[in-house]
Amino acid sequence: MLNASRSFPTGRVILLTLLALAFCTQAAHSQGIYQRKTTVKATIAGSHNIYDGSFTGSGVSSICGEIPKMSSMTGVDTFVIEYPNDDPKNAGIQSVSFGSKQLVGKATTARLFTLNVAVRLPNGSKPYAYVLNTDPPRAGNSGVATIVRAKNRVTVRVKGSNERGGETIDFSITCM
């Protein structure tokens, strides 16, 4: 008969159990950030008629939520949005990328973030993306990102301006 205590010492069994629980908890936590229904709005001004206007979109985001440092390629907790998951067709907002290392945990406001918004104009053209990068801080780029977390819903709002001669953005995205 096999002696279980000799084959698997108690410490090793406890360690393996804890690792399995940690993995399962991590997997369960991260599942809620993928493939979320998403609505997005942006008003851009001061672009010298490149992409001034109000734009909207809705669909499914590839990712929308906090990535724990153990799963993050940067090694730090990061809030990330990548929208859309599939072809947005003729939507006003073609794509969004947002990331902030400050907008994690219980934080509700961040001054350091990166936002890229690509739009389709009413005439069908797609100018280069509006970019607001305050991380790292640089002259001419400023803004505030806020987040509201509710059950099964997160809304991020960004107001700011970039270094391209006074371009401003009022942006909001909600993932459900």
Side-chain angles (χ1 to χ4, degrees), residues 55-136:
F55 306 91
T56 62
S58 63
V60 176
S61 56
S62 297
I63 188 167
C64 181
E66 190 172 324
I67 300 174
K69 66 182 177 182
M70 291 183 293
S71 300
S72 173
M73 294 178 68
T74 62
V76 296
D77 295 337
T78 307
F79 187 89
V80 174
I81 300 172
E82 292 291 335
Y83 166 87
N85 184 55
D86 51 12
D87 183 4
K89 309 262 189 263
N90 293 323
I93 295 183
Q94 293 288 293
S95 68
V96 171
S97 296
F98 174 84
S100 176
K101 296 173 194 165
Q102 288 185 329
L103 218 52
V104 296
K106 294 183 180 185
T108 58
T109 304
R111 294 201 175 274
L112 299 177
F113 56 86
T114 301
L115 172 66
N116 297 290
V117 181
V119 300
R120 176 186 290 272
L121 299 178
N123 67 8
S125 66
K126 297 179 187 179
Y128 54 85
Y130 177 93
V131 177
L132 178 54
N133 185 359
T134 64
D135 187 13

Side-chain angles (χ1 to χ4, degrees), residues 132-152:
L132 178 54
N133 185 359
T134 64
D135 187 13
R138 58 180 159 171
N141 285 326
S142 64
V144 175
T146 58
I147 190 168
V148 175
R149 296 173 180 93
K151 186 176 182 181
N152 299 325

Side-chain angles (χ1 to χ4, degrees), residues 5 7 10 30 44 46 57 66 72 78 88 91 94 96 101 117-118 136 139 150 153 156 160 166 171 173:
S5 64
S7 299
T10 304
S30 64
I44 301 171
E66 190 172 324
S72 173
T78 307
Q94 293 288 293
V96 171
K101 296 173 194 165
V117 181
R153 177 183 295 252
V156 173
F171 169 87
I173 189 164

